[in-house]
Amino acid sequence: MKIKILKTGLKRDEVFFEADAGEGRGIWCGPPLKPGDEAAVEFEIPALLMRWVDIVPAGGAGHGIRMDGHDVVLTGVLDNIEEDGTGCLQLDGEPILFECLGEPMALGSLVEIRTREIRLYPFLLQAASHT
C-alpha cells in the first residue's frame, strides 16, 4: 500500500500517515522518513486479536483506515483464517496478515479490525536476476 507521512508521533518511530484508504498511525520499521515522504509499505498487526472483540462485522462501512481514539481501525474483507489462527484481511486489494483466536467468523464478510499498533515495513520491489 502506498502511504504519505503526515507527521511523526511521540513514540519512537511512530508516524501518522494517509493512504487512498484513509488515515492512520503506525510504527515505521525502515530507513528514516520525514513528513511529506511517500513509501510503499506492508502492514503488520503484532497483537494477537480476538474474533468478535477486536474483529467484528462492519456496519455497512466501506473499505478504509481510520483512527478512533487510540485505536487504528481497518475495514476490509475477511479473506481467510487458518486453523492456527493466521488470518488475512483484504483492504483495497492489499493483504494484511494477523493472528487471532476465538469463535469462527464468515469468510468473505466485511469486518473491522481494531488495534493499538500497526507496524509499517517498506515494500521493496526487487528485479529478478538472470544468471
Side-chain angles (χ1 to χ4, degrees):
M1 180 176 295
K2 188 173 181 181
I3 65 167
K4 180 178 180 180
I5 303 301
L6 298 174
K7 64 181 181 177
T8 56
L10 298 176
K11 295 181 189 173
R12 179 179 167 91
D13 298 322
E14 181 180 49
V15 295
F16 289 80
F17 65 88
E18 69 178 355
D20 288 344
E23 294 186 5
R25 180 190 76 239
I27 302 299
W28 176 249
C29 302
L33 290 177
K34 62 186 181 308
D37 286 350
E38 294 185 353
V41 300
E42 290 182 352
F43 284 39
E44 177 190 76
I45 301 173
L48 180 63
L49 304 174
M50 292 297 299
R51 290 179 280 228
W52 302 101
V53 175
D54 304 309
I55 307 169
V56 297
H63 294 214
I65 303 168
R66 65 183 171 85
M67 296 292 301
D68 185 10
H70 294 290
D71 292 340
V72 179
V73 182
L74 306 171
T75 305
V77 175
L78 185 60
D79 190 44
N80 191 24
I81 297 180
E82 300 290 333
E83 285 185 24
D84 67 359
T86 303
C88 180
L89 178 80
Q90 288 288 336
L91 193 145
D92 285 349
E94 301 282 341
I96 299 174
L97 301 178
F98 59 88
E99 292 186 32
C100 63
L101 295 171
E103 295 297 316
M105 298 185 84
L107 298 181
S109 60
L110 196 62
V111 297
E112 283 186 357
I113 292 181
R114 290 182 168 271
T115 183
R116 293 276 174 150
E117 183 177 312
I118 293 175
R119 293 191 184 144
L120 306 168
Y121 292 92
F123 182 74
L124 306 174
L125 296 176
Q126 297 181 353
S129 62
H130 299 284
T131 54

